[in-house]
Amino acid sequence: MHVRRTIIVCYSLIIVAPLYFVFVTVFKSSQAFYASPLGWPAAPTLDNLGKLFAGQPIWRYFWNSIQVTAGTVLLVLLLGSLISFAIIRFGGAAGTVLFAIFTAGLIVPSQVNMLTIFALARKLYLSDHLGGLILVSTALLLPLTVFMLTGFMKLLSRELIEAGSLDGCGEWSLYWRITIPLTAPSLAATATFLLVMVWNDLLIPMLLLNGKSKLTLPLAMLQFRGEYVTDYPMLLTGVVVTSLPLVLLFLFLQRYFIAGLTEGALKG
Amino acid sequence: MRNRKLLWIFVLPGLLLYGVVFVYPTVLGLVYSFTDWDGFSASFKLTGWKNYHSILESIVFRKAFWNNVKFMAAVVAAQSVISLVLALLLVKNRKTYVFLRALFFFPAILSSVSVGLIWSFVYDPAIGLLSTLFQTLGRPELALNWIGDKKIAIYSIAAVQVWAHAGQMMIVFIAGLQSIPSELHEAAVIDGGSRWRVFRKITWPLLAPSATIVLAYTTIQSFKAFDLIFTMTDGGPNFSTEIMTTYIYHLAFSSYAFGEASAGSSLFLVLLSVLTFLQFKALRAGRISY
């Protein structure tokens, strides 16, 4: 019993300590921080926050990230669920081949084709354009999405769809009025998983975006680092502020986050 | 009646996007690997296997490969042990345990850039959390330059990867543990089995599927690492944390050796395919029933 408690307490400290010190640093002036980097803020101040928002177009970065994340997640769920539905409905050879075509992409991570995506995006005018980033991210996430959603839709009783079909539903109603509502919990878990991936993605935005006004949050943070080099209070304030939306979502939708990230782990 | 035409319309937009933005670039990458393209010029010529020869002979590429192996070995060993121990400790659905599970899982939702910046602070040799801690404990010799010392930098980053993802793998183990019928345990305990024997003879074999998943996932994730290293050290000091992905990135975007970088990507893909194939086989073999 003692051993169990000791391990749990130690691991909790390992997880919490860095987060705690990052959090208190937000409320320290630079001098207070360098005088006592780990101490409690003696005279808590909101200067770092003020300076960060005054010096950087943070709201714009947020808005960019929100647009890219919402756009990509919605588009990839729509395209992916349509494809998965068709794979299930086709069945047989056509279904198998389609499934194989899409899931083959699971082997190829974006680190492998980052070079050609970079080159191609410039040619197709998808560079430096949030819409272009949404299209590229969607294409890259389709294999995983199709893989996960086909798995979930397979679990859905075939008979339900067949019954709907006999009642005279067309493919569109079978998809929209039967399959989507019945797989809603799995769709929600998949959505949170994709949300975390897109919101946090560094590589693809880095390859496609250059203009300062187009940056997403992870890129913006790398830029703060360049600007504030070792001004930790400013740097860590940036970390806290830009992580906040997902942290808040996590507090409310924990269950979906854990299910989603785990499903993703199992399937990806 | 299935309306096949309509179903094809469902597939078409996704297939088109996937073909143009994913499949085509992947094939194109293979083509570039046999050329001397610099990434910008309008023309380039075929050079055969030259890029492959030069990258395989490159000292930095070899170093990057071994760094990949070190990083992977460290992350896989630490992450699977830690996540299994945590899962065994927190498997019961008590309120405090459910809270702790969420807490331990939490770092997985932060971006690698955030995690990298947080840990750059923790590892700072002058004012960081770790150095200060060791100095307060009266052990200043342990206050190392964690990511600035080329002997330990790669392991320091491996530790960060484990910090961020062990909780996520813990959840996979907990799901596996909770799917083992409890009658099996009870029967074993009634039969007088010691805790360790029950674990070895019952829990562990039945946990094999989850263990395989955790091992396979951790191996492939750590092999593909990029963001964390890019944020924390960008391959330095003296290439001691350079892994294949960061090396390919530097070749293409700092040295403009696009063709050679493409050859590196192809080699990386081959290695990754082998790992994925092994993962697939392991997952098949790991599927047992009770």
Side-chain angles (χ1 to χ4, degrees):
Chain A
M1 214 49 217
H2 248 16
V3 183
R4 176 195 295 256
R5 197 163 291 171
T6 317
I7 297 176
I8 292 177
V9 169
C10 285
Y11 197 74
S12 306
L13 281 176
I14 292 172
I15 294 296
V16 172
L19 301 174
Y20 167 79
F21 288 107
V22 166
F23 187 73
V24 295
T25 306
V26 171
F27 303 101
K28 284 182 188 173
S29 65
S30 244
Q31 296 91 311
F33 174 78
Y34 286 102
S36 154
L38 305 185
W40 181 255
T45 160
L46 293 176
D47 285 0
N48 294 320
L49 281 168
K51 215 167 109 193
L52 187 77
F53 278 89
Q56 305 279 347
I58 305 274
W59 294 117
R60 168 157 280 282
Y61 300 146
F62 267 112
W63 180 229
N64 291 343
S65 270
I66 291 170
Q67 288 180 73
V68 169
T69 309
T72 306
V73 173
L74 289 176
L75 189 60
V76 78
L77 278 181
L78 173 70
L79 297 180
S81 61
L82 282 169
I83 293 167
S84 304
F85 175 79
I87 286 173
I88 301 281
R89 287 293 287 158
F90 276 135
T96 314
V97 169
L98 267 180
F99 184 70
I101 289 176
F102 280 101
T103 50
L106 281 173
I107 306 173
V108 187
S110 38
Q111 290 94 332
V112 165
N113 41 29
M114 61 181 167
L115 309 178
T116 31
I117 285 172
F118 167 79
L120 192 76
R122 272 187 320 173
K123 241 186 238 168
L124 299 178
Y125 304 103
L126 295 175
S127 272
D128 219 18
H129 190 286
L130 296 183
L133 176 57
I134 291 174
L135 284 180
V136 173
S137 302
T138 300
L140 295 179
L141 287 169
L142 259 183
L144 184 63
T145 313
V146 168
F147 188 72
M148 288 172 75
L149 295 184
T150 309
F152 293 132
M153 286 183 191
K154 250 189 199 147
L155 295 176
L156 192 74
S157 162
R158 255 231 154 90
E159 283 137 44
L160 273 176
I161 297 183
E162 298 289 329
S165 176
L166 287 179
D167 284 348
C169 286
E171 297 297 336
W172 176 252
S173 339
L174 291 177
Y175 164 78
W176 186 243
R177 291 179 41 199
I178 298 182
T179 310
I180 293 297
L182 288 175
T183 47
S186 321
L187 284 172
T190 312
T192 51
F193 174 61
L194 294 168
L195 173 85
V196 175
M197 279 182 85
V198 181
W199 183 269
N200 290 336
D201 190 25
L202 170 70
L203 186 61
I204 300 305
M206 189 163 76
L207 294 173
L208 296 192
L209 306 175
N210 328 298
K212 235 190 138 171
S213 64
K214 301 274 168 52
L215 303 183
T216 56
L217 290 171
L219 284 177
M221 276 207 292
L222 280 184
Q223 201 192 285
F224 300 168
R225 185 189 52 180
E227 206 156 313
Y228 300 120
V229 197
T230 49
D231 184 351
Y232 283 119
M234 282 302 288
L235 204 56
L236 297 176
T237 304
V239 168
V240 170
V241 168
T242 56
S243 305
L244 218 53
L246 274 197
V247 173
L248 291 177
L249 268 183
F250 178 73
L251 288 179
F252 291 113
L253 304 172
Q254 257 180 56
R255 193 182 296 259
Y256 286 110
F257 270 87
I258 293 182
L261 266 187
T262 308
E263 288 297 340
L266 303 191
K267 319 258 160 159
Chain B
M1 258 322 276
R2 271 177 289 189
N3 185 342
R4 288 202 161 234
K5 257 188 210 146
L6 193 64
L7 285 175
W8 279 113
I9 295 175
F10 282 11
V11 174
L12 211 61
L15 194 62
L16 208 69
L17 187 67
Y18 176 66
V20 175
V21 186
F22 194 136
V23 181
Y24 175 62
T26 309
V27 177
L28 206 60
L30 275 175
V31 175
Y32 288 146
S33 74
F34 294 101
T35 70
D36 64 354
W37 198 39
D38 59 7
F40 297 95
S41 308
S43 66
F44 52 82
K45 50 181 191 301
L46 284 170
T47 53
W49 292 95
K50 190 169 155 279
N51 289 326
Y52 288 88
H53 283 299
S54 59
I55 199 164
L56 283 170
E57 278 158 19
S58 146
I59 293 167
V60 182
F61 185 75
R62 288 184 193 185
K63 200 164 180 179
F65 172 79
W66 287 112
N67 285 336
N68 257 111
V69 173
K70 285 184 206 168
F71 185 78
M72 195 160 71
V75 171
V76 170
Q79 185 152 294
S80 34
V81 171
I82 291 173
S83 56
L84 175 62
V85 170
L86 292 176
L88 287 169
L89 294 180
L90 299 178
V91 63
K92 290 201 186 120
N93 283 326
R94 281 197 223 159
K95 252 192 175 164
T96 29
Y97 289 2
V98 173
F99 168 77
L100 285 167
R101 279 185 224 159
L103 177 71
F104 294 170
F105 179 87
F106 172 76
I109 66 155
L110 298 175
S111 72
S112 312
V113 178
S114 300
V115 171
L117 294 178
I118 290 172
W119 278 83
S120 303
F121 160 60
V122 173
Y123 281 149
D124 188 296
I127 49 167
L129 185 52
L130 266 181
S131 296
T132 318
L133 181 73
F134 284 123
Q135 256 137 18
T136 326
L137 292 174
R139 301 292 298 276
E141 74 278 9
L142 287 176
L144 306 169
N145 189 357
W146 302 99
I147 51 175
D149 179 337
K150 58 178 196 261
K151 282 203 204 81
I152 53 172
I154 189 92
Y155 301 107
S156 302
I157 300 179
V160 179
Q161 171 83 10
V162 175
W163 180 84
H165 291 285
Q168 197 184 344
M169 294 301 104
M170 166 194 77
I171 301 284
V172 178
F173 271 128
I174 287 177
L177 283 169
Q178 288 184 339
S179 69
I180 298 174
S182 58
E183 303 90 62
L184 278 174
H185 268 124
E186 282 152 22
V189 173
I190 291 167
D191 288 349
S194 74
R195 265 192 174 183
W196 172 241
R197 262 182 70 88
V198 173
F199 176 76
R200 273 220 32 209
K201 299 281 177 190
I202 297 177
T203 314
W204 179 244
L206 290 176
L207 205 55
S210 334
T212 324
I213 289 169
V214 168
L215 278 176
Y217 178 77
T218 309
T219 309
I220 290 183
Q221 275 319 100
S222 53
F223 188 73
K224 293 194 299 196
F226 176 82
D227 296 13
L228 208 51
I229 290 185
F230 186 82
T231 307
M232 292 182 76
T233 58
D234 199 17
N238 194 21
F239 304 111
S240 62
T241 58
E242 188 87 283
I243 52 171
M244 279 188 276
T245 53
T246 56
Y247 182 58
I248 293 165
Y249 185 88
H250 290 142
L251 263 184
F253 299 112
S254 313
S255 315
Y256 304 107
F258 219 85
E260 200 175 321
S262 300
S265 296
S266 308
L267 290 172
F268 182 73
L269 181 59
V270 170
L271 287 171
L272 190 71
S273 309
V274 172
L275 279 179
T276 311
F277 175 73
L278 291 176
Q279 169 197 25
F280 191 70
K281 286 209 97 170
L283 283 177
R284 282 249 155 128
R287 200 172 288 162
I288 59 163
S289 51
Y290 41 83

